[in-house]
Amino acid sequence: MSHNDMHKVTLIPGDGIGPEVTDAARKIIEATGVNIEWEVVPAGAETVEKYKTVLPDITFESIKRNKVALKGPIGTPVAGGFKSANVTIRKTLDLYANLRPVRSLPGVKSKYEGINIVVVRENTEDLYSGLEYEIAPGVVESLKVITDKASLRIANFAFRFAKRRGRKKVTVLHKANIMKLSDGLFLNCVRKVAKDYSQIEYEEMIIDNACMQLILNPNRFDVILTENLYGDIVSEVCAGLVGGLGFAPGANIGDDCAVFEAAHGSAPDIAGKNIANPIAITLSGALLLKYIGENREAKAIENAISRVLTKGEILTKDMGGNATTTEMRDAIIGELK
Ligand code: NAI
């Protein structure tokens, strides 16, 4: 792909800190000179009032047409209220792979060094099937759905990804000792796929032990492959290893489209104050650029962020400093030039 190819990309600002951090990411991406036409569409709490849905048709159609989107976080009410727009987007567009890479960054406070882990999380089923029933007063069932189709698909994705990126090891996290049927099916599917990748080391680990290992010795992990709920939790543990949610990018990838977003949520506690860290969503933007073939620009953004962090002069509040979102944005843009 050449520098002058025009890309149309859907931009969903989202809720809370979403508009502030996506605006920063957009300006940083534009500063690389990449030719992107943004189509800004709504989703989130405000659309529930206006369109009576978390995911209006115009937003859904825009992602389907452009095939790539950069998305800010969207809030979801706890216990009741409307259903999650995030889960709806992932399921409706069949974005079956959730990719969450974490990497130690220079100058960012953390007890760990040299972390370089990619969590590959199944994104469409498991306990996120949304099938919950009150079967009798005071008794609720929540269905954990695991299929061989989705398990084989995510396992193939993870091993293909590992091979293409020259990764050495895939660790699958499970609890098949207890959930013998559901996690057992997932594990058996992964085993089948692992056989086709003899050059990649394959390892199985029970999820609770994996959580302890992630704290004691995280550098032993390379690619982590797991189900939806475990992946959700473990990827936030991983974000903690590299300095927190301000540094954890993510991608939801399907066969047709991909939606890039930070691992963090809408952070209502700091929204509208211009103090959120824009690095996680900007790194998600860099993943987006790689996905559309603009590798040079993606690398330029990653390098600019590293230089800002190495200098250590501009630190947002989560990093123990006083810099604003826009100051961090401008510092990154300054390093691009
Ligand atoms: P959260 O990630 O929004 O916030 C957790 C903590 O991290 C807060 O103290 C927040 O201030 C801080 N934080 C998060 N991002 C930050 C950033 N960029 N810079 C500095 N500090 C940051 O998680 P929480 O509070 O559990 O969820 C808030 C809302 O976000 C909920 O409605 C939840 O459903 C939604 N959410 C949406 C996601 C998405 O759109 N993909 C993912 C996770 C949560």
Side-chain angles (χ1 to χ4, degrees):
M1 217 80 30
S2 87
H3 201 63
N4 291 322
D5 280 328
M6 203 275 278
H7 307 276
K8 265 189 128 175
V9 176
T10 298
L11 182 68
I12 304 170
D15 295 325
I17 60 170
E20 305 161 55
V21 293
T22 52
D23 185 66
R26 171 185 177 159
K27 297 212 164 86
I28 293 165
I29 292 169
E30 285 171 350
T32 65
V34 70
N35 192 356
I36 288 181
E37 187 185 321
W38 304 92
E39 197 169 275
V40 182
V41 289
E46 52 161 350
T47 67
V48 175
E49 282 163 33
K50 193 164 163 203
Y51 299 90
K52 305 278 172 265
T53 167
V54 283
L55 189 59
D57 283 346
I58 45 165
T59 302
F60 184 53
E61 293 305 326
S62 170
I63 304 174
K64 279 212 297 197
R65 199 170 43 246
N66 297 327
K67 308 212 180 293
V68 257
L70 184 63
K71 175 190 157 297
I74 299 175
T76 311
V78 174
F82 57 85
K83 67 177 181 185
S84 163
N86 304 309
V87 175
T88 308
I89 291 174
R90 293 168 193 171
K91 278 210 209 160
T92 320
L93 294 165
D94 205 16
L95 305 175
Y96 61 86
N98 186 216
L99 202 65
R100 291 188 169 175
V102 293
R103 201 185 272 260
S104 298
L105 291 162
V108 178
K109 258 190 243 144
S110 163
K111 293 194 178 78
Y112 305 96
E113 277 174 17
I115 305 284
N116 186 353
I117 302 173
V118 179
V119 179
V120 178
R121 160 186 171 199
E122 203 290 323
N123 219 10
T124 62
E125 50 183 35
D126 187 11
L127 277 164
Y128 290 35
S129 63
L131 300 172
E132 293 191 313
Y133 310 97
E134 186 176 37
I135 53 169
V139 185
V140 167
E141 275 184 2
S142 182
L143 296 188
K144 169 160 175 156
V145 177
I146 300 289
T147 65
D148 57 354
K149 179 171 173 263
S151 305
L152 287 168
R153 188 165 71 161
I154 194 67
N156 273 304
F157 180 96
F159 279 92
R160 248 193 344 259
F161 172 87
K163 188 178 171 194
R164 203 164 5 127
R165 297 294 171 91
R167 295 268 175 171
K168 302 275 177 292
K169 180 163 77 172
V170 172
T171 307
V172 61
L173 310 188
H174 68 90
K175 190 83 187 175
N177 50 331
I178 306 295
M179 279 161 280
K180 294 181 193 293
L181 281 185
S182 52
D183 283 18
L185 175 60
F186 184 79
L187 192 57
N188 279 329
C189 290
V190 177
R191 284 177 182 165
K192 255 187 225 160
V193 174
K195 283 204 182 84
D196 295 335
Y197 290 85
S198 53
Q199 69 278 43
I200 294 170
E201 189 188 337
Y202 170 64
E203 175 182 51
E204 298 173 355
M205 198 179 281
I206 293 176
I207 181 73
D208 36 344
N209 176 29
C211 287
M212 184 190 65
Q213 297 290 339
L214 273 166
I215 305 297
L216 284 181
N217 185 14
N219 298 88
R220 68 181 306 298
F221 293 96
D222 186 346
V223 174
I224 287 175
L225 165 61
T226 191
E227 293 167 14
N228 206 341
L229 176 61
Y230 306 146
D232 195 358
I233 298 168
V234 155
S235 58
E236 294 229 2
V237 175
C238 290
L241 300 174
V242 297
L245 286 170
F247 304 95
N252 302 285
I253 301 176
D255 288 331
D256 297 324
C257 325
V259 175
F260 296 81
E261 64 179 334
H264 64 69
S266 55
D269 51 336
I270 57 166
K273 296 182 178 161
N274 193 28
I275 57 171
N277 186 345
I279 290 181
I281 185 76
T282 304
L283 288 171
S284 309
L287 293 175
L288 183 154
L289 291 177
K290 285 183 198 164
Y291 181 82
I292 60 176
E294 301 286 3
N295 290 306
R296 206 165 38 133
E297 286 70 16
K299 203 78 213 134
I301 289 176
E302 289 169 357
N303 290 340
I305 289 173
S306 287
R307 280 196 291 273
V308 171
L309 295 173
T310 304
K311 284 186 183 167
E313 291 157 1
I314 304 288
L315 306 169
T316 45
K317 199 150 175 282
D318 56 314
M319 302 172 70
N322 293 312
T324 61
T325 308
T326 40
E327 281 165 352
M328 179 58 91
R329 174 198 73 193
D330 293 342
I332 296 168
I333 291 174
E335 291 295 338
L336 278 170
K337 294 196 169 129

mmCIF file with all atom_site columns, all heavy atoms in Angstrom, residues 79 100 111 184 192 218 224 246 255 324 326 328:
data_model
loop_
_atom_site.group_PDB
_atom_site.id
_atom_site.type_symbol
_atom_site.label_atom_id
_atom_site.label_alt_id
_atom_site.label_comp_id
_atom_site.label_asym_id
_atom_site.label_entity_id
_atom_site.label_seq_id
_atom_site.pdbx_PDB_ins_code
_atom_site.Cartn_x
_atom_site.Cartn_y
_atom_site.Cartn_z
_atom_site.occupancy
_atom_site.B_iso_or_equiv
_atom_site.pdbx_formal_charge
_atom_site.auth_seq_id
_atom_site.auth_comp_id
_atom_site.auth_asym_id
_atom_site.auth_atom_id
_atom_site.pdbx_PDB_model_num
ATOM 1  N N   . ALA A 1 79  ? -25.918 -4.476  35.963 1.00 0.00 ? 79  ALA A N   1
ATOM 2  C CA  . ALA A 1 79  ? -27.130 -5.160  36.440 1.00 0.00 ? 79  ALA A CA  1
ATOM 3  C C   . ALA A 1 79  ? -28.399 -4.444  35.986 1.00 0.00 ? 79  ALA A C   1
ATOM 4  O O   . ALA A 1 79  ? -28.970 -3.621  36.691 1.00 0.00 ? 79  ALA A O   1
ATOM 5  C CB  . ALA A 1 79  ? -27.120 -5.294  37.961 1.00 0.00 ? 79  ALA A CB  1
ATOM 6  N N   . ARG A 1 100 ? -5.213  -8.402  22.210 1.00 0.00 ? 100 ARG A N   1
ATOM 7  C CA  . ARG A 1 100 ? -4.760  -7.369  23.142 1.00 0.00 ? 100 ARG A CA  1
ATOM 8  C C   . ARG A 1 100 ? -3.269  -7.512  23.435 1.00 0.00 ? 100 ARG A C   1
ATOM 9  O O   . ARG A 1 100 ? -2.868  -8.268  24.312 1.00 0.00 ? 100 ARG A O   1
ATOM 10 C CB  . ARG A 1 100 ? -5.581  -7.437  24.429 1.00 0.00 ? 100 ARG A CB  1
ATOM 11 C CG  . ARG A 1 100 ? -7.016  -6.992  24.176 1.00 0.00 ? 100 ARG A CG  1
ATOM 12 C CD  . ARG A 1 100 ? -7.770  -6.880  25.448 1.00 0.00 ? 100 ARG A CD  1
ATOM 13 N NE  . ARG A 1 100 ? -9.045  -6.220  25.245 1.00 0.00 ? 100 ARG A NE  1
ATOM 14 C CZ  . ARG A 1 100 ? -9.949  -6.087  26.203 1.00 0.00 ? 100 ARG A CZ  1
ATOM 15 N NH1 . ARG A 1 100 ? -9.713  -6.548  27.408 1.00 0.00 ? 100 ARG A NH1 1
ATOM 16 N NH2 . ARG A 1 100 ? -11.079 -5.485  25.957 1.00 0.00 ? 100 ARG A NH2 1
ATOM 17 N N   . LYS A 1 111 ? 6.594   -2.729  37.902 1.00 0.00 ? 111 LYS A N   1
ATOM 18 C CA  . LYS A 1 111 ? 7.541   -3.613  38.596 1.00 0.00 ? 111 LYS A CA  1
ATOM 19 C C   . LYS A 1 111 ? 8.231   -4.543  37.606 1.00 0.00 ? 111 LYS A C   1
ATOM 20 O O   . LYS A 1 111 ? 9.137   -5.271  37.954 1.00 0.00 ? 111 LYS A O   1
ATOM 21 C CB  . LYS A 1 111 ? 6.789   -4.461  39.617 1.00 0.00 ? 111 LYS A CB  1
ATOM 22 C CG  . LYS A 1 111 ? 6.210   -3.664  40.763 1.00 0.00 ? 111 LYS A CG  1
ATOM 23 C CD  . LYS A 1 111 ? 5.796   -4.613  41.894 1.00 0.00 ? 111 LYS A CD  1
ATOM 24 C CE  . LYS A 1 111 ? 5.250   -3.868  43.079 1.00 0.00 ? 111 LYS A CE  1
ATOM 25 N NZ  . LYS A 1 111 ? 3.866   -3.408  42.887 1.00 0.00 ? 111 LYS A NZ  1
ATOM 26 N N   . GLY A 1 184 ? -13.559 -28.279 28.117 1.00 0.00 ? 184 GLY A N   1
ATOM 27 C CA  . GLY A 1 184 ? -12.987 -29.479 27.505 1.00 0.00 ? 184 GLY A CA  1
ATOM 28 C C   . GLY A 1 184 ? -13.079 -29.410 25.984 1.00 0.00 ? 184 GLY A C   1
ATOM 29 O O   . GLY A 1 184 ? -12.108 -29.728 25.275 1.00 0.00 ? 184 GLY A O   1
ATOM 30 N N   . LYS A 1 192 ? -6.170  -29.755 18.559 1.00 0.00 ? 192 LYS A N   1
ATOM 31 C CA  . LYS A 1 192 ? -6.209  -30.153 17.142 1.00 0.00 ? 192 LYS A CA  1
ATOM 32 C C   . LYS A 1 192 ? -5.427  -29.189 16.281 1.00 0.00 ? 192 LYS A C   1
ATOM 33 O O   . LYS A 1 192 ? -4.633  -29.570 15.433 1.00 0.00 ? 192 LYS A O   1
ATOM 34 C CB  . LYS A 1 192 ? -7.675  -30.144 16.662 1.00 0.00 ? 192 LYS A CB  1
ATOM 35 C CG  . LYS A 1 192 ? -8.272  -31.512 16.503 1.00 0.00 ? 192 LYS A CG  1
ATOM 36 C CD  . LYS A 1 192 ? -9.644  -31.427 15.869 1.00 0.00 ? 192 LYS A CD  1
ATOM 37 C CE  . LYS A 1 192 ? -10.587 -32.333 16.634 1.00 0.00 ? 192 LYS A CE  1
ATOM 38 N NZ  . LYS A 1 192 ? -11.991 -32.014 16.458 1.00 0.00 ? 192 LYS A NZ  1
ATOM 39 N N   . PRO A 1 218 ? 5.790   -13.068 34.579 1.00 0.00 ? 218 PRO A N   1
ATOM 40 C CA  . PRO A 1 218 ? 5.029   -12.802 33.346 1.00 0.00 ? 218 PRO A CA  1
ATOM 41 C C   . PRO A 1 218 ? 5.850   -12.990 32.071 1.00 0.00 ? 218 PRO A C   1
ATOM 42 O O   . PRO A 1 218 ? 5.281   -13.263 31.010 1.00 0.00 ? 218 PRO A O   1
ATOM 43 C CB  . PRO A 1 218 ? 4.580   -11.340 33.500 1.00 0.00 ? 218 PRO A CB  1
ATOM 44 C CG  . PRO A 1 218 ? 5.502   -10.749 34.510 1.00 0.00 ? 218 PRO A CG  1
ATOM 45 C CD  . PRO A 1 218 ? 5.903   -11.865 35.416 1.00 0.00 ? 218 PRO A CD  1
ATOM 46 N N   . ILE A 1 224 ? -1.085  -15.681 24.530 1.00 0.00 ? 224 ILE A N   1
ATOM 47 C CA  . ILE A 1 224 ? -2.059  -16.351 25.395 1.00 0.00 ? 224 ILE A CA  1
ATOM 48 C C   . ILE A 1 224 ? -3.343  -16.507 24.599 1.00 0.00 ? 224 ILE A C   1
ATOM 49 O O   . ILE A 1 224 ? -3.817  -15.547 23.988 1.00 0.00 ? 224 ILE A O   1
ATOM 50 C CB  . ILE A 1 224 ? -2.317  -15.512 26.673 1.00 0.00 ? 224 ILE A CB  1
ATOM 51 C CG1 . ILE A 1 224 ? -1.118  -15.604 27.616 1.00 0.00 ? 224 ILE A CG1 1
ATOM 52 C CG2 . ILE A 1 224 ? -3.599  -15.964 27.377 1.00 0.00 ? 224 ILE A CG2 1
ATOM 53 C CD1 . ILE A 1 224 ? -1.224  -14.725 28.859 1.00 0.00 ? 224 ILE A CD1 1
ATOM 54 N N   . GLY A 1 246 ? -4.042  2.875   30.590 1.00 0.00 ? 246 GLY A N   1
ATOM 55 C CA  . GLY A 1 246 ? -3.659  3.947   29.658 1.00 0.00 ? 246 GLY A CA  1
ATOM 56 C C   . GLY A 1 246 ? -2.713  3.483   28.564 1.00 0.00 ? 246 GLY A C   1
ATOM 57 O O   . GLY A 1 246 ? -2.426  4.222   27.620 1.00 0.00 ? 246 GLY A O   1
ATOM 58 N N   . ASP A 1 255 ? -13.561 -11.835 9.775  1.00 0.00 ? 255 ASP A N   1
ATOM 59 C CA  . ASP A 1 255 ? -13.088 -12.121 8.425  1.00 0.00 ? 255 ASP A CA  1
ATOM 60 C C   . ASP A 1 255 ? -13.327 -10.937 7.487  1.00 0.00 ? 255 ASP A C   1
ATOM 61 O O   . ASP A 1 255 ? -12.644 -10.787 6.487  1.00 0.00 ? 255 ASP A O   1
ATOM 62 C CB  . ASP A 1 255 ? -13.768 -13.380 7.881  1.00 0.00 ? 255 ASP A CB  1
ATOM 63 C CG  . ASP A 1 255 ? -13.240 -14.628 8.588  1.00 0.00 ? 255 ASP A CG  1
ATOM 64 O OD1 . ASP A 1 255 ? -12.066 -14.604 9.028  1.00 0.00 ? 255 ASP A OD1 1
ATOM 65 O OD2 . ASP A 1 255 ? -13.994 -15.609 8.727  1.00 0.00 ? 255 ASP A OD2 1
ATOM 66 N N   . THR A 1 324 ? -1.956  17.260  30.395 1.00 0.00 ? 324 THR A N   1
ATOM 67 C CA  . THR A 1 324 ? -3.320  17.030  29.910 1.00 0.00 ? 324 THR A CA  1
ATOM 68 C C   . THR A 1 324 ? -3.295  16.081  28.720 1.00 0.00 ? 324 THR A C   1
ATOM 69 O O   . THR A 1 324 ? -2.232  15.777  28.161 1.00 0.00 ? 324 THR A O   1
ATOM 70 C CB  . THR A 1 324 ? -3.953  18.358  29.458 1.00 0.00 ? 324 THR A CB  1
ATOM 71 O OG1 . THR A 1 324 ? -3.151  18.881  28.391 1.00 0.00 ? 324 THR A OG1 1
ATOM 72 C CG2 . THR A 1 324 ? -4.030  19.357  30.599 1.00 0.00 ? 324 THR A CG2 1
ATOM 73 N N   . THR A 1 326 ? -4.405  16.793  25.796 1.00 0.00 ? 326 THR A N   1
ATOM 74 C CA  . THR A 1 326 ? -3.950  17.525  24.608 1.00 0.00 ? 326 THR A CA  1
ATOM 75 C C   . THR A 1 326 ? -2.440  17.786  24.639 1.00 0.00 ? 326 THR A C   1
ATOM 76 O O   . THR A 1 326 ? -1.789  17.777  23.596 1.00 0.00 ? 326 THR A O   1
ATOM 77 C CB  . THR A 1 326 ? -4.740  18.847  24.434 1.00 0.00 ? 326 THR A CB  1
ATOM 78 O OG1 . THR A 1 326 ? -4.921  19.442  25.721 1.00 0.00 ? 326 THR A OG1 1
ATOM 79 C CG2 . THR A 1 326 ? -6.105  18.607  23.844 1.00 0.00 ? 326 THR A CG2 1
ATOM 80 N N   . MET A 1 328 ? -0.230  15.716  25.953 1.00 0.00 ? 328 MET A N   1
ATOM 81 C CA  . MET A 1 328 ? 0.351   14.431  25.547 1.00 0.00 ? 328 MET A CA  1
ATOM 82 C C   . MET A 1 328 ? 0.223   14.259  24.029 1.00 0.00 ? 328 MET A C   1
ATOM 83 O O   . MET A 1 328 ? 1.169   13.857  23.351 1.00 0.00 ? 328 MET A O   1
ATOM 84 C CB  . MET A 1 328 ? -0.342  13.277  26.294 1.00 0.00 ? 328 MET A CB  1
ATOM 85 C CG  . MET A 1 328 ? 0.156   11.897  25.928 1.00 0.00 ? 328 MET A CG  1
ATOM 86 S SD  . MET A 1 328 ? 1.927   11.661  26.191 1.00 0.00 ? 328 MET A SD  1
ATOM 87 C CE  . MET A 1 328 ? 1.970   11.024  27.866 1.00 0.00 ? 328 MET A CE  1
#
